[in-house]
Amino acid sequence: MRILKARSRHLDGVMAIENSSFSDPWSRASMEAYLDAPDGELLVLEKDGQTAGFAVYHVSWEDAELYNLAVGGGFRRQGLGRALLDEVLVRAKGRGAERMYLEVRRSNAAAIALYRAAGFAVCGVRRDYYSLPTEDALLMDIILISN
């Protein structure tokens, strides 16, 4: 297993995971924009020569946001999501982020459990944030630095 900055060769695998994981997936162009984004990254996790998962995050000053994280169906429940999340946290902190935020569907119990286990806490609710179907988002955050 290895986690690295995505390249264009990874986009087909990333989009296959994105399209199978989310009811309202990102476009290929949106993913492609993070290949060379100065303030964020598209990371991929490769396992057994395949793109097994990916994460997209953005850093703006002291705040970071996890935009997207998914692991392909055949690779779930192996700790790969946690490995990706841990790498995102390290990289965001390395870019100067002091806090990271994310939104997650209220019904996504597996993702919420992953984020809580990593130290995220619910700090708000965004009503009707998601579509297809319409659903509230839990806003979660984690402090990346200690005072």
Side-chain angles (χ1 to χ4, degrees), residues 82 85 109-122 138 140 142:
R82 180 59 189 263
L85 181 57
I112 293 167
L114 170 68
Y115 300 137
R116 282 188 193 276
F120 282 84
V122 174
L138 297 180
M140 300 180 82
I142 187 172

Side-chain angles (χ1 to χ4, degrees), residues 26-137:
W26 282 26
S27 68
R28 186 180 185 96
S30 294
M31 288 293 183
E32 199 166 17
Y34 274 90
L35 291 177
D36 295 311
D39 50 3
E41 286 184 296
L42 167 58
L43 300 177
V44 294
L45 186 149
E46 292 183 336
K47 185 171 183 192
D48 302 329
Q50 299 180 57
T51 299
F54 71 91
V56 181
Y57 74 95
H58 175 90
V59 176
S60 179
W61 302 103
E62 69 276 356
D63 290 333
E65 187 166 355
L66 177 62
Y67 287 151
N68 205 333
L69 187 146
V71 173
F75 294 98
R76 292 187 181 142
R77 305 201 51 82
Q78 299 176 33
L80 303 183
R82 180 59 189 263
L84 265 170
L85 181 57
D86 289 346
E87 183 68 17
V88 166
L89 295 173
V90 166
R91 287 178 181 236
K93 186 176 178 179
R95 287 175 174 250
E98 298 175 8
R99 177 179 297 200
M100 177 168 273
Y101 295 92
L102 62 85
E103 290 98 5
V104 60
R105 280 186 183 270
R106 186 186 290 274
S107 65
N108 192 341
I112 293 167
L114 170 68
Y115 300 137
R116 282 188 193 276
F120 282 84
V122 174
C123 60
V125 175
R126 297 193 179 185
R127 301 277 177 223
D128 299 332
Y129 181 80
Y130 291 104
S131 58
L132 301 173
T134 301
E135 186 174 353
D136 293 347

